[in-house]
Amino acid sequence: MGRDNELIATPGRTHGPAGVDSLNREIAALRAERDEAVHTATRLRAVLDNAHDAFVSMNAEGVITAWNIAAERLFGWTAAEAIGCPAGELMIPPRLRAAHDEGLARVRRSGVSDLAGRRLELYAVDRDGREFPVEMTLQARFERGEPAFHAFLHDITDRAAARTELRRERAFLQALLNSLDTGVAACDGEGRLAQFNPAMREIHGIGRQPVGADSRVGTHHLRRADGRTPMEPDEAPLARAYAGETVQHEEVVVVAPGRPARRFLANARPIDTPDGRRLGAVVAMHEITDAYRADLLRRCRYAVARALSEAVSARDSAMAAATAIAVELDWACAEYWEVDDDRRRIVRAGSWARPGFDLTGFTGDSPLAFSAGQGVPGAVWATGADIWSNDLRGGLADPGRLPFGHRLGLRAAIGMPVHNGARVAGVLTFFTDTAVTRDDDILTMLRDIAAQIGRFVERRRAEDLTLALATARRDFNRVIEQVDDCFWTVEVMPDGTVRSVYSSPGATGVFGGVLPTDSDMSRTLAERMHPDDLPTFLAFHERIGSGRPAEFECRVIGYDGRTRWVWTRGVTRHEDGRLYVDGISTNVTERRELADQREALLAREREQVRRLRELDRMKDELVAVVSHEMRNPIAIIAAYTDSLREEPEFAGRPELAAIGRTSAHLLHLVEDLLDLARFESGPDALDSRPLRLDRLLRQTVEEHRLTARVDLITEIDVLPMVAGDAARLRQVLDNLLSNAIKYTPVGGTVTVTARANADTVTVAVTDTGIGIPPEQYPKLFTRFFRASTAIDHKIKGTGLGLAVTKAIVAAHAGTIVAEPGPGGGTRFTVTLPR
């Protein structure tokens, strides 16, 4: 080994040139492996020397074989001092060395270390004898057939101190939580319950039962603020906080089995690390049951006071108070019952049911009455004491109403008497949809409220009577003030004199001034009587004095000097041995004057009517005579005109044509006037026979179609036979059709329809012409009346055609009406009996 190139001979091995080369290569490889091992050991030593943790190796005997720089700093021994020394003497506290030696012996015997591969916390000692905690990671290996141990160690004094402080803080916190009367619960990052302090256990009625590691966040008998609706698991404040929500001052109700409901304010929030990692959540529940109950009772009293202040009647006040109580206490139903006047039954006066709770058939506005001892109101009435029952199916004498209420969901009944003095005047009854434990505080409040209602009802009834009396008196005075009559009351004294008791303001309008009230009224009035009527007044006074009702009408000379006719009536009454007379005096002067004037007016009107009828008769005779006398000359003129127009020398003369047209117009006018005179004289002017009106209609339309410049449309059904004058009905149809065609522009439409029913035949003529103003329809059938539209369009006419048409239709016992057409223009409808 002293020379690098020296060949080492191996016994039994032949070294030729090839063998020498092979041997050199092996030597080179071994040298490379040695160098690599040296480098690796150097690097490992550098790593261990620069490591923060102490590195210590020892053999199976416990002798130290390796000791890095960190071990020197940790224990105070240099590597030169430590290597080769037993580890127990340098590192292990004296009280633990025996256990250390026993462990080494056990490893030597079994070849297995139970501590290998584990992270251990134990105590060590340094050069100065200071004992301190360390964390050690131990690895055990077999080297050359013997166990060897390698360990990394670091001082955990700070950690141990922090851990000790944390344990003290936890103990303090747990003691604090255990001493709180506020319930506190918390869950860990997995949602498992980690804390349930004693107050929270007591709240939920679970005693000292431990909360297991697998217990999840739940509702634990929680209900919403209404006290009825169970919370869903995700609604619980702790669950919401675990989901990331901050819950503040949320009311919850805990209904633990076998315990009354309790109300709490819950505050919950998530527990997060600064980097946002969810560690869990916590909830604190502060009980507000007593405060809530006190506030609830206060709200009840306030609601009752407000309801009573707003009530307008005694019955309304009691029902309003009952409703206010039920609303505030969240009860399902409230009723008020009144004992009737003869005290034989108690009758339901009002009821209320919580919205959304169907109590149809149990309560409502329908009348219901019980006898004493029957049902809740009857039992309260009979005993005069309150009732609180959670048994609606047999606890009270009831004709089936309470069991029916139980089927509807009612569970408890409360009854409270309302006293009026020593007697029960009414009963307040309440029903709940949950079983409610008898509550003395609520009963005390109900007794106070019932007493308040009783006093209020009594006072309200007195006030109602006073108000009713005042209202009646005010209404009476208001009416009296508006009446011109004098209402009076007098007392007839034993000596026959009359004393005034009351006189209304209307006396001035009756007597011309204010009647004196400090003198004998009979003498005062006698002095004001008209001499001719004084006997009548004295007879009235005598009859009244005998206690009998009487009335009279006479003239009174008023204080203003005017004489008035006055009608007086008096009715006697006896009161406390005294004779009173209530009466009314009315100024009937206008009535008397109006009666006289009416008679005179009637006489004048009768004379005017007679003269008008005479004038109408004379006018009709004049028209008939003039028409008759003009008919022949006009006919002669027309005949001669036609003859002259046939002569060759006069043919085509315009003068003759004008004379012919004028003669025809005058002749038509005369014929219309004569027709009107005939029909006004009676129906004898008709030659009535059965006829087919549909044929007459078609014939008339076809004849007018020849000259019409408008479209004629017919919708004529097959009509039954009617009784009528064919010539006169043809005249009606000609008038209506000619008017429709004349007042419809070229290209317009005239529609003729005819229908029949069981009683009548109806003919309608509708045009699309110029129409008639609506206000002129009532005058359309008046003689000589022409619509303004016809005048504006300069369409000629006499104004008699429609008057004649109406007269003919009326003579046939029919009717004719005019109205605007559906598309403009006018529609005339004729209705004739069948």
Side-chain angles (χ1 to χ4, degrees), residues 202-203 221 253-264 287 289 293 435-439:
E202 190 277 332
I203 289 171
H221 320 302
V253 178
V254 178
V255 185
R259 295 189 177 188
R262 298 166 67 184
R263 189 170 294 266
F264 296 85
E287 185 168 10
T289 303
R293 285 172 55 81
V436 182
T437 305
R438 184 182 180 91
D439 192 314

Side-chain angles (χ1 to χ4, degrees), residues 129-183:
R130 178 180 69 90
E131 189 175 317
F132 58 95
V134 296
E135 182 180 76
M136 180 182 71
T137 303
L138 178 66
Q139 296 292 332
R141 299 180 57 188
F142 277 86
E143 298 176 358
R144 298 183 180 87
E146 293 291 331
F149 304 95
H150 310 283
F152 284 94
L153 303 97
H154 63 271
D155 189 352
I156 59 172
T157 301
D158 293 340
R159 184 198 299 178
R163 184 180 300 162
T164 301
E165 182 64 24
L166 179 61
R167 282 197 296 268
R168 286 199 296 267
E169 289 181 357
R170 285 182 175 177
F172 174 79
L173 178 61
Q174 189 64 49
L176 179 64
L177 291 176
N178 292 343
S179 64
L180 290 176
D181 58 359
T182 299

Side-chain angles (χ1 to χ4, degrees), residues 711-728:
D711 292 335
L712 284 176
I713 300 173
T714 59
E715 298 175 3
I716 302 172
D717 294 347
V718 178
L719 302 179
M721 299 290 289
V722 297
D725 188 327
R728 293 299 186 183

Side-chain angles (χ1 to χ4, degrees), residues 374-450:
Q374 191 178 36
V376 175
V380 174
W381 176 29
T383 61
D386 57 76
I387 287 178
W388 191 304
S389 175
N390 283 311
D391 184 8
L392 302 187
R393 291 179 291 184
L396 296 169
D398 187 87
R401 182 171 182 256
L402 292 181
F404 177 69
H406 187 274
R407 291 195 296 273
L408 293 178
L410 300 179
R411 293 297 178 266
I414 301 100
M416 182 63 59
V418 176
H419 289 88
N420 183 2
R423 299 194 308 175
V424 175
V427 173
L428 297 172
T429 59
F430 304 95
F431 298 92
T432 70
D433 55 346
T434 57
V436 182
T437 305
R438 184 182 180 91
D439 192 314
D440 293 336
D441 292 337
I442 291 179
L443 283 175
T444 300
M445 178 199 68
L446 290 179
R447 292 189 190 101
D448 293 343
I449 291 175

Side-chain angles (χ1 to χ4, degrees), residues 586 771 775:
T586 304
E775 68 275 7

